[in-house]
Amino acid sequence: MGRTSSGLLRGETRRISRRRLVVGAGAAGTLAALGWAGVSAVTGDGDRPLALVYRGPAACSGCAEAVAALLRSAPGEFRTEYCGPGEQRQISRSALAEAAVYAQPGGGNVGPAWRRLRDHAEDIRGFVRDGGHYLGFCLGAYLAAARPGFGLLDGKVDQYIRTAGASVDSADDAVVPVRWRGRPRHMFFQDGPTLELRPGTPGIVLATYDTGAPAAVVTAFGAGRVGLVGPHPEADRSWYADAELTNPDGIRLDLGHDLVRSTVDGWAPAAGGS
């Protein structure tokens, strides 16, 4: 598999920004088979599908809340609950059985995060294998790798900042250019990964960095699906303000919504591609 986020794994310091956010707030196999329409039919209008969002020491401050806000505003209108060591909901097979989505937000170094989460790896793998949906943002995308990680991605995960020609070369907050479904956009970024699917693996590359390396992918794992993104489509206005950054496209959540929809509903070909 080659180098998997080796800089992070070997103890490089990665700054974890603290976000100041103001946000509002099932059988997985059946939901996976039916997509968005099935989610509405199975849960009913008054009972929105559940998305579990990890919140705890393996995630940065405010990252879980931003992912939860993205999911609540996405098509399908998820209700969200946090799970983790300090939450009422723990990560467990029984908790995941009630959810349509498990989301792993951004955070710090891969090694320490994996040590906090590895005891839950089989439960998360089983959830997705049986038809659940995994969403990984930055660190959550790194953790989809095989070593160390949940083993949900048939491919390779690397640091974008180490790729030849990368527009940024440090772990500091930045705005990076991407092509999302072939169209130029900009995204908030903090040392996210590239995500390469093994040839022949079912899935789609939703976005690429300026180097051409994949920045967001959706793929299958068993009966479920996995949506991964290196930059941060969930970043809200406070992220940019805290980092004194500007997004030339404005602060929009449509790319995050596309990632969620493509993961839950199944990917669609990019315009002009397959």
Side-chain angles (χ1 to χ4, degrees):
M1 183 170 166
R3 180 173 59 82
T4 304
S5 58
S6 59
L8 293 175
L9 297 178
R10 291 173 186 163
E12 284 189 358
T13 300
R14 177 178 171 191
R15 182 164 59 86
I16 307 175
S17 296
R18 299 186 65 83
R19 315 293 182 199
R20 296 188 297 274
L21 302 177
V22 179
V23 295
T30 302
L31 295 174
L34 296 177
W36 290 112
V39 164
S40 298
V42 171
T43 61
D45 291 339
D47 186 13
R48 294 172 294 166
L50 173 63
L52 291 177
V53 180
Y54 172 87
R55 184 165 67 177
C60 61
S61 175
C63 289
E65 290 83 356
V67 169
L70 175 71
L71 283 159
R72 286 194 295 270
S73 66
E77 297 181 336
F78 289 92
R79 60 187 174 95
T80 60
E81 292 186 24
Y82 298 112
C83 60
E87 304 296 330
Q88 288 188 338
R89 287 264 194 179
Q90 301 298 302
I91 304 173
S92 67
R93 184 175 302 179
S94 59
L96 290 165
E98 299 178 32
V101 168
Y102 172 80
Q104 190 71 50
N109 291 356
V110 174
W114 171 243
R115 288 192 288 274
R116 295 180 183 277
L117 291 164
R118 61 189 173 189
D119 289 345
H120 306 295
E122 283 307 311
D123 287 339
I124 292 170
R125 281 174 58 84
F127 164 71
V128 183
R129 186 175 54 243
D130 292 343
H133 307 105
Y134 176 94
L135 289 171
F137 299 80
C138 194
L139 172 66
Y142 278 115
L143 288 170
R147 292 187 181 88
F150 301 126
L152 299 173
L153 177 70
D154 186 9
K156 185 168 65 175
V157 180
D158 280 311
Q159 280 178 286
Y160 165 70
I161 63 175
R162 291 175 175 260
T163 61
S167 59
V168 294
D169 59 5
S170 79
D172 292 340
D173 293 338
V175 173
V176 297
V178 301
R179 295 191 71 83
W180 193 284
R181 291 191 182 267
R183 297 184 177 182
R185 292 290 295 271
H186 294 81
M187 299 181 73
F188 193 99
F189 177 84
Q190 189 188 48
D191 200 7
T194 64
L195 305 152
E196 182 179 338
L197 297 176
R198 192 182 305 278
T201 300
I204 185 174
V205 175
L206 287 177
T208 56
Y209 294 104
D210 52 352
T211 60
V217 301
V218 180
T219 187
F221 181 78
R225 286 185 289 270
V226 178
L228 307 174
V229 61
H232 288 276
E234 77 280 19
D236 73 359
R237 192 173 304 278
S238 71
W239 291 40
Y240 291 92
D242 288 351
E244 298 182 341
L245 294 170
T246 300
N247 189 320
D249 309 323
I251 300 169
R252 301 155 60 184
L253 297 178
D254 58 313
L255 302 185
H257 293 165
D258 188 26
L259 174 72
V260 175
R261 184 175 189 120
S262 298
T263 304
V264 174
D265 205 27
W267 55 85
S274 58

